[in-house]
Amino acid sequence: MNVLQLEQSFKQNIAPLYIIRGNDYYYRTRALNTLLALVSDDLSTFNVTYVSSDANINTVLIALSTPPIMSDYRLVIWQGDIKKMNKDVSTATKKALDKYLANPFEGAVLIAVDEIDYFKSIYKIGEEVNCSKLSTSELMPEVKQLLSAKNTTMDNMLIKELVERCDNEMAAIVGELDKLIAYADGDYITKESLAEVVTHNVQQDIFKLTDAITNGNVDFAYQLLDDLLSRGEQPLMLQALILGQYKRMFYTKISKETTDEIAKQLGGNPYPYKLARENAKKYKPMELKRIVDTLHNIEYDQKSGRIGMDEGLGLAMATVTKRRD
């Protein structure tokens, strides 16, 4: 199902297994938060369990078997990996989940957060939540709805231009909308406001930031980060964009395919993959794998409340700049 259909689907039933897939950070986060909302925030500590990709299916099933406390649901969030699951492990996982889903624990919901196709073997036995980038025509009504909620309007052609300037990245669109609404004189966003505020895609600054880190210019990287934060960009979004570029570095490092072919498989424009492949030349594959894994762990510590958003961004920057200065 499309991420936009997820909440509506709850009126029919809550599935015992969801697989979150796709490359749009905003919608991946939205899908996960929609599922997390099944459990009260006050009780999430007792009823939400995060499991890393290193965990085996038995660990996951044990977590699912724990009854919820003062809640209708217990959620187990299983983070995927950027490499493929071992064939034997994949087969065992599929077999165990097939058996489990024939008689799942009452109130238990397993949420597999995919990276490329780590959970490919279980796609057909769970509810897939598609969080890929939406087309411009799909995003325009979403933007209109956000504007309406803020009692603000914008011409269709300007909405289209905003979406395209942000490369259809919903997280970037939301950030730019907040700035546009704050900048607007009244309840209407003009072409002049768009030109003044949305000067370029924040992703371009992330490319510059990761390029600076790769080439050992750490001071410049932190200066770029300070500029982005002072412009009102959110720490978690910036962190996600940095993680995204390091994932691209890892993919292009281990793949023998062209960047055009990789972009076609994973979604998006080939340009970020071309930049990533060039930067990846200065890393070893396992070094990139370690960075991506660490950034994932930091993100989950933030979402589970173990660390704050600002602290997480600081740890992420410390991770990617290590031994680069």
Side-chain angles (χ1 to χ4, degrees), residues 55-69:
N56 59 37
I57 186 58
N58 290 330
T59 301
V60 173
L61 292 175
I62 290 170
L64 288 168
S65 70
T66 305
I69 298 174

Side-chain angles (χ1 to χ4, degrees), residues 23-24 133-136 139 160-173 176 198 200-204 207 241 248 267-273:
N23 58 359
D24 188 291
K133 278 187 185 181
L134 299 181
S135 67
T136 301
L139 283 170
K160 182 174 183 290
E161 183 177 345
L162 171 65
V163 169
E164 291 175 349
R165 283 197 188 198
C166 293
D167 193 28
N168 289 50
E169 292 275 0
M170 193 59 180
I173 293 169
E176 297 301 336
V198 189
H200 57 276
N201 185 349
V202 66
Q203 179 74 76
Q204 295 295 330
F207 294 156
L241 293 174
R248 293 185 191 103
N269 190 295
Y271 177 66
Y273 295 96

Side-chain angles (χ1 to χ4, degrees), residues 20-64:
I20 296 176
R21 301 181 61 200
N23 58 359
D24 188 291
Y25 166 75
Y26 176 89
Y27 284 120
R28 283 166 65 96
T29 302
R30 176 166 160 176
L32 183 56
N33 286 341
T34 299
L35 288 162
L36 285 170
L38 293 171
V39 172
S40 166
D41 283 343
D42 296 337
L43 299 172
S44 61
T45 302
F46 307 105
N47 295 307
V48 179
T49 301
Y50 291 86
V51 181
S52 72
S53 59
D54 295 334
N56 59 37
I57 186 58
N58 290 330
T59 301
V60 173
L61 292 175
I62 290 170
L64 288 168

Side-chain angles (χ1 to χ4, degrees), residues 34-231:
T34 299
L35 288 162
L36 285 170
L38 293 171
V39 172
S40 166
D41 283 343
D42 296 337
L43 299 172
S44 61
T45 302
F46 307 105
N47 295 307
V48 179
T49 301
Y50 291 86
V51 181
S52 72
S53 59
D54 295 334
N56 59 37
I57 186 58
N58 290 330
T59 301
V60 173
L61 292 175
I62 290 170
L64 288 168
S65 70
T66 305
I69 298 174
M70 295 184 290
S71 173
D72 291 332
Y73 299 102
R74 160 166 291 283
L75 309 182
V76 176
I77 301 167
W78 191 4
Q79 175 62 49
D81 203 341
I82 55 177
K83 68 179 189 299
K84 291 186 177 181
M85 188 182 285
N86 174 279
K87 188 176 180 180
D88 291 339
V89 173
S90 179
T91 301
T93 298
K94 166 70 163 54
K95 184 177 179 181
L97 280 177
D98 270 331
K99 182 178 179 181
Y100 165 73
L101 291 173
N103 186 27
F105 298 116
E106 185 177 355
V109 179
L110 174 59
I111 304 164
V113 183
D114 207 10
E115 294 294 336
I116 306 186
D117 56 359
Y118 186 74
F119 291 112
K120 188 175 182 178
S121 66
I122 63 172
Y123 287 170
K124 293 183 179 179
I125 63 175
E127 288 285 347
E128 288 187 50
V129 184
N130 186 349
C131 299
S132 298
K133 278 187 185 181
L134 299 181
S135 67
T136 301
S137 61
E138 290 173 316
L139 283 170
M140 287 178 67
E142 286 279 286
V143 175
K144 285 183 182 180
Q145 189 174 357
L146 291 172
L147 286 166
S148 178
K150 299 285 187 177
N151 297 315
T152 308
T153 57
M154 191 174 177
D155 287 345
N156 283 342
M157 289 304 296
L158 292 182
I159 292 176
K160 182 174 183 290
E161 183 177 345
L162 171 65
V163 169
E164 291 175 349
R165 283 197 188 198
C166 293
D167 193 28
N168 289 50
E169 292 275 0
M170 193 59 180
I173 293 169
V174 171
E176 297 301 336
L177 274 179
D178 287 343
K179 289 185 283 183
L180 281 166
I181 291 168
Y183 182 85
D185 182 15
D187 58 3
Y188 178 71
I189 295 173
T190 64
K191 182 177 181 179
E192 290 73 23
S193 295
L194 184 67
E196 182 71 22
V197 176
V198 189
T199 54
H200 57 276
N201 185 349
V202 66
Q203 179 74 76
Q204 295 295 330
D205 285 323
I206 297 300
F207 294 156
K208 291 179 185 178
L209 186 148
T210 52
D211 184 70
I213 291 169
T214 298
N215 291 289
N217 196 349
V218 173
D219 288 343
F220 180 60
Y222 273 102
Q223 180 184 326
L224 282 172
L225 182 67
D226 287 343
D227 289 344
L228 287 164
L229 291 169
S230 66
R231 276 164 36 193

